[in-house]
Amino acid sequence: MNEQNHILLSVRDLQVRFGNPARPVRAVDGVSFDIRRGETFALLGESGCGKSITALSILQLVPSPAGHIVNGQIHFQGEDLLLKSESQMRHVRGNRISMIFQEPMTSLNPVMTIGRQIGEVLVLHEGLAGRALQDRIVGLLDAVGIPSASRRLNDYPHQLSGGMKQRVMIAMALAASPDLLIADEPTTALDVTIQAQVMDLLAKIQQEQGMSILLITHDLGVVADNVDHVAVMYAGQVVEQARRAELFSNPLHPYTRKLFAAVPGSHKRGQKLDTIKGSVPPLDRKFTGCRFAERCDDAWMRCYEQVPRWLFLENDDPHGIRCHQYDASIDDRPSLTRHAPAEAKSSVERASQSAGEPLLELQDLKVHFPIHKGLFKRTVGHVYAVDGVNLQIRKGQTLALVGESGCGKTTVGKALLQLIRPTAGHVRFMGKELTELSGESLRRLRARMQLIFQDPFASMNPRMLVRRILEEGMRAQGVVRSEQERAERVTALLNFVGLPESAAERYPHEFSGGQRQRICIARSLAVEPALLVCDEPTSALDVSVQAQTLNLFKSLQEQIGLSYLFITHNISVVEYLAHQVAVMYLGRIIEQGPVAMVIDTPSHPYTQALLAAVPRIEGKRGEAKIVLEGEIPSAINPPTGCHYHPRCPLAEPRCHTEYPSVRRTADGKQVACHLVPGVD
Amino acid sequence: MNRYFSAFWFRPLLAISFITLLLAVGPELLGVKSAYLTTDKLIFVLFAGIVLLVSYIHQKKHLLEPWRQVFRQRRAMISLVVLVTYASIGMLDSIHFRTPLPDSGHDNQQYSVESLSVLDVMLDRLRSQEEKTYSAPFAAYLYSKETITHADGSQSREYPRLVYGGRHLADPARDRAGDILRTSLIGIVLGAVIGKLLCLLLAWRIARASQQKVMALWWQIWKGQTELPWRSLFLTLILLSIAITSAWMLSKYYHVFGTDKVGKDVLYLSIKSIRTGLVIGTLTTLIMLPFAILLGILAGYYRGWVDDVIQYLYTTLSSIPGVLLIAAAILSIQVYISTHPELFTTGTQRADLRLLALCVILGITSWTGLCRLLRAETLKLRELDYIQAATALGVKNFVILGRHVLPNVMHIVLIMVVLDFSALVLAEAVLSYVGVGVDPSTISWGNMINGARLELAREPMVWWSLVAAFVLMFALVLPANLFSDAVRDAFDPRLRESR
């Protein structure tokens, strides 16, 4: 068997530089890998490691004049793509290699129907026209699972949901039957349930058409489920490369091992998550040693002085690595330390399971947004964003609110803080009814409940010094009156969240995403809150930074007994941090209870499907999966009966007409489903 | 106490108080009576505001950085020199006083009804050298023929010699060209020397501020190796001082831009017009800004009925033709002025009120554009997380508006203000031409153009008033536009990202 014939794309020593030539940023620095026919190859890495630039280089789409490819070869079916002219590349792009992007919302032209957009590719590369063109477009839309495709042809992108748009993007990418599909974070902007649908679709199409996929992602879970071969990138280089099974069972490079350790999950409850110290080094300098050395626990002198070479370990499975520790020609290697994670469960963990009086109680909370239409802005309907939510958070506990995007979980958070006034229902916080408070008394009480946002870049005023940002709450609440004390308080807060004192005199843009999130946490803590509402606080962060942030949340709870309402879609974070879980669907809670019960033995069919859709590192491949069909319905006119029945595989006639009452199960959960027997 | 010395406002405030003191008691010491007009006072306030703002920006790194980017552009530096020159002329022309009448008694001192400015005193020669009527630039003879009675009693119609223009020439036809050349050469040399001295002085200041050797810096500047394009600034400075000194030297013997219908020097008129143009350009903005900013961010932040009211207000206002509104307002001011003559001691004051009224009415009609932009930007900002976070921290609404919203829309305000300036200077010319602009007695480019309009039909054509007004206006508006382009490039976030 000739190995050469199987290789579709081969990248050799690719180097891409950005910025001014005197001090270039080496975004990609000597990357080599091969993709075989019909396989899925993943480039895995944190943001800024050069994985997207590598993909763009293959299509010669590196943003110019800022960036340029300075060296390397990219052989695709025997031709070097880097030697091709722009006009020759146009025949390759979209035709033999096509690409799908992260943001389906912005990748489609909003003023063209989807039929025309797909047709454009076909006309260009296959010269189809008329009837044949129509048929082919319908065929493609069918293939990517868009229902009643012939009617959808004339839809505009805004008429489709996010998942549908991504399907259209895939249909466009597949239009010319490419040999290689580059998927740059194809599911990052989508919900887990939709992510599962899209990844399944890609796998199915790959089987049918036999193309190769280059998958670019930062999500270990996605890689664990869907790929054949993985290359881990760090700071512009590939540091480890192996078959998926080999890499996941036997990660060798210290960076890869750290990445795995940083992923939260139920088995890590009560222990600190492993983090990677420091941050990715700036790429505008020449490296004399290993790029990971400064952050590596196992680094020794040689790691700083000599650049590690690319090694091929011939175990059972070929395994490439860039690390001195595995270089047999080096004799001063120290013995490997495999850090066993500390097993000790913290005492708080046990204690807080049951104790604590209720800090916050939501009773039948409703938030309806009126829809105005016409000249006189008549109310023609409502968006039932939150429609009768009952929740309880005890002191020192964490309640996780889980659900797909659009289910109303963020609105719950804002409504309980009275940032959006609820339409009906009660919010009782520290014994006070918040919905009846207004003006000064509400302003005073705001200090006790704070909000942490998803996007650490938008949550601080770019024109204020960190000191001023931290002092803002203290001034507004009059917590600390004297200037001197405030300054001390700022220093203490910064220390508390693990930032240097000098941070106070800097502006937010000088910090990385993780550090900014810490500043936001410090800002909330300045007014001594009892409750933190965290709205997807880690979803904009890389895995290693996420671990640092989660550790901080955990230690805050242990030290000052904070309660959290954790709004998230990340199940592994829930397993790691939460005591109670509430699953939300279309404005209502459908299942809630202790984390172990809900996650391990979900009762509601929706919870089961949601959990099944979550890609897992430790999960076995080939396990029967419930793929949730369709998407969350509109909250303007929710389905009659149980909101979930149109997607529920187990729906009975009763589910179509009658909303199930909440019932208690034997294991202490509250579930709203006709099929779950209650105990009372 | 010490922290007050180091505060950014300390030194500028000291300087401002000193200048205020000087303006208050200076005229008395010199034996004249100060006669500041309302617009004068507003200009001083504006100047003080700018000084404070500059020193505030100077100590804030994030505010200074975009300004450094502005001045890294050569066109901005060149424009700045020209604009500062114009502004200084305008300032000098804003210090008004009245001279004592010589024949009044000492204890009951009477003052002249005509108020002069410092600039008038400096340009006294230009002001007092009046001819009989039109004369062309550099002419030695009047524009129109007159009947002259000769010594022998015979009469003839010929072009009489001018009283001042070219009076030192024995035979203008023969000597004039050589004399002009000679005088302007002297002017050029003198200008170059003065310009270079100014540059050296400036270089010394820069060197002291950055703690470098003066001569080393001097050579660096001329080789163009400095971060900011000082070389362009120096070259402009030298060229400008050459132009000014040559004009000064020539105006000793000639009317450089000719004279107007009543024999006034056109160069003098066009220089006096600078103040009018600047007042219109700056005070109007000053009047418009509070409306635009306050209403814009209130509408965007509170939404609901506040937004509705403000939107109705500005859509109504902006659908009335601007000229109509301005004409109506100016006419009613006119009526007010003529029915209350006792309120004004001098004619200048009367004219000044009308100028101020024009600024106000222009300001009231022109805030809608900026208001719209600010409303839209605030609508976007109020949804941002940091505003939500401030609300959640219990910060009061007005504090949020002042601390979080306003600083983040200031770049739009700045861009609009500099863009509007040149449009307003041009608007003055157009409105005066139509007849609803400044008072006819106010010297302005618009009035000059209006006066020149009819004379264009004469033979030979009287073109010089028009050209003079055009040249000076162009020399102000072009740098203003270039400068505003540079400002927009540095402040507009969309443009910043694309670099």
Side-chain angles (χ1 to χ4, degrees):
Chain A
M1 197 164 67
N2 189 348
E3 176 76 359
Q4 280 304 311
N5 283 340
H6 288 281
I7 290 177
L8 179 73
L9 178 88
S10 138
V11 176
R12 284 286 164 274
D13 196 27
L14 182 69
Q15 293 183 17
V16 184
R17 293 190 182 170
F18 274 84
N20 96 48
R23 204 175 159 77
V25 173
R26 296 169 172 83
V28 176
D29 202 7
V31 163
S32 308
F33 58 85
D34 296 322
I35 300 178
R36 287 170 190 79
R37 284 177 202 280
E39 83 167 356
T40 304
F41 187 95
L43 271 182
L44 177 73
E46 295 184 288
S47 54
C49 72
K51 54 193 193 302
S52 286
I53 298 296
T54 307
L56 290 175
S57 308
I58 295 172
L59 287 173
Q60 283 197 36
L61 286 176
V62 176
S64 113
H68 44 272
I69 299 170
V70 291
N71 191 19
Q73 292 126 33
I74 299 177
H75 285 284
F76 178 69
Q77 296 177 328
E79 300 168 277
D80 191 342
L81 294 183
L82 291 182
L83 300 179
K84 283 185 180 281
S85 67
E86 180 61 25
S87 64
Q88 287 171 318
M89 274 313 287
R90 270 201 291 271
H91 294 288
V92 175
R93 290 181 204 140
N95 189 14
R96 290 160 61 194
I97 304 178
S98 55
M99 185 153 181
I100 50 180
F101 297 92
Q102 175 172 356
E103 271 302 334
M105 325 300 163
T106 53
S107 314
L108 289 170
N109 183 344
V111 298
M112 272 169 82
T113 62
I114 56 169
R116 275 189 59 200
Q117 294 193 51
I118 300 173
E120 213 174 24
V121 186
L122 292 169
V123 171
L124 199 67
H125 292 299
E126 312 221 322
L128 290 178
R131 194 76 232 152
L133 180 66
Q134 288 289 319
D135 289 345
R136 185 65 204 284
I137 297 172
V138 174
L140 277 168
L141 288 177
D142 265 337
V144 294
I146 290 188
S148 50
S150 50
R151 278 195 290 124
R152 286 283 184 180
L153 272 189
N154 295 320
D155 278 1
Y156 286 92
H158 72 265
Q159 293 170 291
L160 304 175
S161 64
M164 284 293 174
K165 279 186 209 159
Q166 194 60 294
R167 284 166 192 266
V168 173
M169 282 302 299
I170 295 173
M172 276 171 76
L174 296 176
S177 319
D179 298 306
L180 175 66
L181 177 69
I182 300 175
D184 188 356
E185 305 265 12
T187 58
T188 307
L190 306 174
D191 274 313
V192 273
T193 53
I194 312 296
Q195 166 172 304
Q197 291 173 7
V198 170
M199 291 316 294
D200 273 10
L201 174 69
L202 282 178
K204 194 183 105 212
I205 291 168
Q206 184 179 27
Q207 263 176 10
E208 288 168 8
Q209 304 201 351
M211 63 178 179
S212 309
I213 296 178
L214 172 59
L215 180 72
I216 292 162
T217 185
H218 70 278
D219 190 338
L220 284 166
V222 169
V223 175
D225 260 7
N226 301 290
V227 304
D228 304 307
H229 226 100
V230 188
V232 181
M233 278 189 81
Y234 181 77
Q237 287 186 327
V238 174
V239 292
E240 184 165 9
Q241 184 184 337
R243 299 191 68 79
R244 176 183 54 85
E246 164 72 11
L247 188 84
F248 274 68
S249 59
N250 186 22
L252 293 179
H253 197 280
Y255 174 65
T256 320
R257 293 212 310 269
K258 282 280 191 187
L259 266 191
F260 280 107
V263 176
S266 58
H267 57 289
K268 290 176 189 153
R269 274 186 80 87
Q271 68 199 36
K272 260 194 171 341
L273 289 174
D274 222 345
T275 59
I276 309 178
K277 61 188 177 193
S279 55
V280 182
L283 297 179
D284 59 352
R285 58 183 169 124
K286 245 187 141 48
F287 289 91
T288 51
C290 174
R291 287 163 193 227
F292 188 60
E294 285 157 27
R295 307 176 70 188
C296 183
D297 293 335
D298 301 323
W300 77 100
M301 280 310 284
R302 186 180 288 275
C303 294
Y304 293 95
E305 287 160 0
Q306 188 186 344
V307 177
R309 56 195 188 98
W310 182 246
L311 304 166
F312 244 113
L313 307 178
E314 284 296 336
N315 300 347
D316 318 336
D317 240 335
H319 200 134
I321 192 164
R322 193 185 290 276
C323 182
H324 285 316
Q325 274 174 359
Y326 301 94
D327 194 341
S329 66
I330 293 175
D331 35 23
D332 61 344
R333 290 180 288 167
S335 60
L336 270 184
T337 49
R338 298 249 162 153
H339 301 279
E343 282 299 328
K345 287 219 166 195
S346 65
S347 50
V348 178
E349 174 69 19
R350 289 271 157 263
S352 59
Q353 283 291 352
S354 52
E357 69 257 35
L359 178 75
L360 175 89
E361 242 183 312
L362 301 185
Q363 242 174 43
D364 204 26
L365 185 77
K366 285 182 184 166
V367 182
H368 297 170
F369 298 109
I371 305 166
H372 297 295
K373 257 206 179 128
L375 188 60
F376 297 104
K377 308 212 169 148
R378 265 180 319 119
T379 305
V380 292
H382 285 94
V383 179
Y384 301 96
V386 178
D387 198 21
V389 163
N390 296 296
L391 285 176
Q392 214 181 48
I393 302 178
R394 289 174 189 286
K395 235 179 169 153
Q397 284 216 341
T398 304
L399 172 75
L401 194 57
V402 189
E404 288 174 276
S405 56
C407 73
K409 51 191 195 303
T410 298
T411 313
V412 170
K414 291 198 171 160
L416 79 84
L417 291 171
Q418 307 298 311
L419 288 177
I420 300 171
R421 283 297 187 151
T423 315
H426 301 285
V427 180
R428 237 185 304 282
F429 176 68
M430 298 176 75
K432 293 206 178 69
E433 178 62 46
L434 289 187
T435 49
E436 286 162 9
L437 290 182
S438 65
E440 194 59 21
S441 45
L442 177 63
R443 212 174 61 74
R444 289 281 154 220
L445 207 61
R446 281 197 192 285
R448 313 297 302 172
M449 43 186 192
Q450 282 298 305
L451 186 59
I452 306 281
F453 296 91
Q454 169 173 7
D455 183 1
F457 294 87
S459 52
M460 279 181 284
N461 188 343
R463 289 170 195 278
M464 279 164 75
L465 282 174
V466 168
R467 169 181 304 288
R468 297 264 294 150
I469 291 172
L470 295 184
E471 282 178 354
E472 181 163 41
M474 297 184 221
R475 281 174 197 270
Q477 296 290 347
V479 183
V480 188
R481 294 253 173 230
S482 86
E483 192 113 354
Q484 179 73 30
E485 272 179 67
R486 267 205 293 269
E488 282 166 16
R489 188 77 176 273
V490 166
T491 312
L493 281 168
L494 286 173
N495 284 337
F496 202 56
V497 296
L499 287 173
E501 277 170 47
S502 60
E505 308 306 329
R506 287 155 71 187
Y507 287 96
H509 70 85
E510 296 173 55
F511 296 91
S512 69
Q515 288 171 323
R516 286 184 206 208
Q517 203 60 296
R518 283 156 186 270
I519 298 172
C520 288
I521 294 169
R523 171 175 65 185
S524 311
L525 295 180
V527 292
E528 298 170 345
L531 171 73
L532 278 189
V533 176
C534 308
D535 191 356
E536 308 264 13
T538 60
S539 66
L541 305 177
D542 279 318
V543 185
S544 62
V545 183
Q546 168 178 299
Q548 293 170 5
T549 314
L550 290 178
N551 281 342
L552 178 62
F553 277 125
K554 195 131 202 169
S555 68
L556 283 178
Q557 190 163 55
E558 284 165 13
Q559 287 175 35
I560 52 183
L562 276 178
S563 306
Y564 297 117
L565 175 66
F566 225 85
I567 298 167
T568 184
H569 63 259
N570 190 338
I571 302 292
S572 56
V573 171
V574 174
E575 288 172 326
Y576 173 69
L577 207 62
H579 301 101
Q580 302 275 325
V581 184
V583 184
M584 204 166 165
Y585 188 77
L586 213 61
R588 293 185 186 174
I589 306 285
I590 49 126
E591 178 164 0
Q592 63 175 311
V595 64
M597 304 299 145
V598 176
I599 302 290
D600 297 345
T601 56
S603 305
H604 198 287
Y606 174 68
T607 317
Q608 291 166 359
L610 187 68
L611 292 174
V614 177
R616 282 165 189 282
I617 302 170
E618 64 267 31
K620 287 176 262 17
R621 209 177 192 199
E623 192 178 288
K625 230 175 6 187
I626 316 164
V627 172
L628 201 53
E629 290 297 324
E631 285 162 27
I632 196 161
S634 153
I636 297 171
N637 32 23
T640 54
C642 174
H643 288 169
Y644 183 59
H645 83 258
R647 298 167 82 185
C648 185
L650 312 169
E652 292 174 354
R654 176 159 62 131
C655 302
H656 293 247
T657 52
E658 194 186 327
Y659 195 85
S661 59
V662 176
R663 54 209 70 187
R664 293 187 175 280
T665 59
D667 50 1
K669 289 182 297 191
Q670 293 161 298
V671 186
C673 180
H674 289 303
L675 306 171
V676 176
V679 288
D680 41 322
Chain B
M1 198 57 209
N2 205 10
R3 51 187 275 242
Y4 291 112
F5 284 119
S6 55
F8 75 91
W9 43 261
F10 185 76
R11 287 212 306 191
L13 213 59
L14 213 63
I16 289 169
S17 341
F18 180 68
I19 292 172
T20 317
L21 198 72
L22 206 65
L23 287 173
V25 297
E28 315 299 328
L29 293 178
L30 293 171
V32 292
K33 188 175 176 357
S34 59
Y36 300 120
L37 306 169
T38 325
T39 46
D40 290 343
K41 290 173 191 157
L42 287 174
I43 284 181
F44 296 145
V45 170
L46 187 70
F47 177 73
I50 290 175
V51 168
L52 279 176
L53 202 67
V54 166
S55 59
Y56 178 71
I57 288 171
H58 202 78
Q59 55 119 37
K60 293 269 179 179
K61 215 175 106 206
H62 69 284
L63 294 174
L64 192 61
E65 187 39 46
W67 280 109
R68 288 194 82 89
Q69 256 181 47
V70 170
F71 291 118
R72 261 184 225 128
Q73 306 174 45
R74 278 211 300 276
R75 56 182 172 164
M77 273 297 202
I78 295 170
S79 313
L80 185 77
V81 177
V82 181
L83 291 177
V84 165
T85 312
Y86 267 87
S88 343
I89 293 175
M91 291 295 290
L92 287 177
D93 202 8
S94 297
I95 305 170
H96 284 96
F97 55 85
R98 289 157 69 189
T99 47
L101 290 175
D103 45 355
S104 63
H106 192 72
D107 29 84
N108 185 22
Q109 186 71 26
Q110 292 290 311
Y111 291 93
S112 144
V113 287
E114 187 193 16
S115 44
L116 294 175
S117 71
V118 174
L119 188 77
D120 288 329
V121 176
M122 288 168 74
L123 301 180
D124 193 44
R125 200 171 63 209
L126 287 179
R127 190 169 62 94
S128 54
Q129 291 184 355
E130 286 187 21
E131 305 292 343
K132 215 165 183 181
T133 181
Y134 288 118
S135 70
F138 294 110
Y141 296 99
L142 213 56
Y143 169 79
S144 53
K145 278 184 176 165
E146 275 183 5
T147 310
I148 290 176
T149 313
H150 293 281
D152 54 2
S154 63
Q155 289 185 330
S156 61
R157 281 189 64 77
E158 55 184 61
Y159 296 107
R161 284 291 293 270
L162 292 177
V163 187
Y164 297 100
R167 71 181 155 194
H168 62 299
L169 301 175
D171 180 5
R174 190 193 57 207
D175 300 335
R176 203 176 59 147
D179 186 58
I180 292 174
L181 202 68
R182 218 171 16 255
T183 321
S184 43
L185 259 177
I186 297 172
I188 289 171
V189 172
L190 202 63
V193 171
I194 294 175
K196 191 166 175 191
L197 281 176
L198 277 175
C199 292
L200 266 171
L201 198 69
L202 202 61
W204 177 74
R205 279 286 306 167
I206 304 165
R208 229 180 53 157
S210 59
Q211 290 168 352
Q212 277 173 293
K213 284 236 167 63
V214 180
M215 281 329 278
L217 183 77
W218 182 253
W219 289 116
Q220 255 181 35
I221 287 172
W222 287 109
K223 283 182 200 146
Q225 292 166 342
T226 44
E227 187 207 352
L228 296 174
W230 292 114
R231 184 168 59 171
S232 314
L233 188 141
F234 283 7
L235 281 175
T236 325
L237 207 59
I238 289 175
L239 283 179
L240 210 60
S241 77
I242 286 175
I244 290 173
T245 33
S246 336
W248 177 249
M249 294 302 288
L250 285 168
S251 70
K252 234 183 217 168
Y253 308 108
Y254 299 98
H255 297 292
V256 176
F257 278 131
T259 53
D260 75 347
K261 194 170 186 173
V262 291
K264 278 191 174 161
D265 191 293
V266 174
L267 179 64
Y268 171 70
L269 293 181
S270 34
I271 291 175
K272 285 286 280 181
S273 301
I274 289 174
R275 176 176 181 275
T276 316
L278 289 179
V279 166
I280 299 265
T282 52
L283 288 192
T284 305
T285 332
L286 204 65
I287 288 157
M288 159 196 111
L289 276 187
F291 286 104
I293 294 178
L294 195 70
L295 295 182
I297 62 178
L298 282 182
Y301 186 74
Y302 284 105
R303 300 192 295 190
W305 66 267
V306 179
D307 189 19
D308 287 345
V309 169
I310 292 170
Q311 272 195 70
Y312 275 119
L313 195 65
Y314 71 58
T315 35
T316 313
L317 204 57
S318 59
S319 51
I320 303 172
V323 176
L324 198 70
L325 215 59
I326 291 165
I330 289 296
L331 289 179
S332 43
I333 286 287
Q334 195 63 43
V335 170
Y336 176 82
I337 288 172
S338 48
T339 48
H340 296 84
E342 72 281 0
L343 291 176
F344 313 99
T345 43
T346 64
T348 329
Q349 275 186 358
R350 213 166 46 229
D352 185 62
L353 181 70
R354 184 156 160 184
L355 177 63
L356 188 64
L358 184 68
C359 290
V360 171
I361 190 68
L362 273 175
I364 289 176
T365 50
S366 65
W367 59 270
T368 52
L370 180 58
C371 185
R372 255 187 206 142
L373 283 179
L374 291 182
R375 174 182 168 267
E377 186 70 14
T378 312
L379 277 176
K380 202 179 81 192
L381 281 179
R382 81 185 295 281
E383 297 302 326
L384 284 187
D385 289 346
Y386 62 82
I387 308 262
Q388 301 256 320
T391 317
L393 282 169
V395 181
K396 293 183 176 116
N397 278 332
F398 266 87
V399 180
I400 291 182
L401 282 178
R403 194 183 292 160
H404 296 291
V405 179
L406 190 60
N408 284 298
V409 297
M410 273 325 262
H411 66 280
I412 298 182
V413 175
L414 186 76
I415 291 168
M416 284 299 283
V417 164
V418 285
L419 279 177
D420 274 357
F421 171 78
S422 46
L424 286 167
V425 172
L426 296 178
E428 185 273 326
V430 172
L431 289 173
S432 300
Y433 179 80
V434 177
V436 293
V438 293
D439 191 84
S441 70
T442 308
I443 302 170
S444 84
W445 290 316
N447 279 340
M448 283 172 72
I449 293 169
N450 193 20
R453 177 174 53 143
L454 293 172
E455 312 301 339
L456 283 176
R458 286 172 79 150
E459 184 57 43
M461 199 163 59
V462 179
W463 48 267
W464 44 89
S465 301
L466 198 66
V467 168
F470 170 77
V471 167
L472 283 215
M473 201 152 64
F474 181 76
L476 171 63
V477 172
L478 180 69
N481 276 333
L482 287 177
F483 190 70
S484 61
D485 268 356
V487 168
R488 199 187 46 203
D489 284 358
F491 280 85
D492 197 329
R494 274 168 301 171
L495 293 172
R496 222 180 313 172
E497 274 157 24
S498 67
R499 266 202 303 273

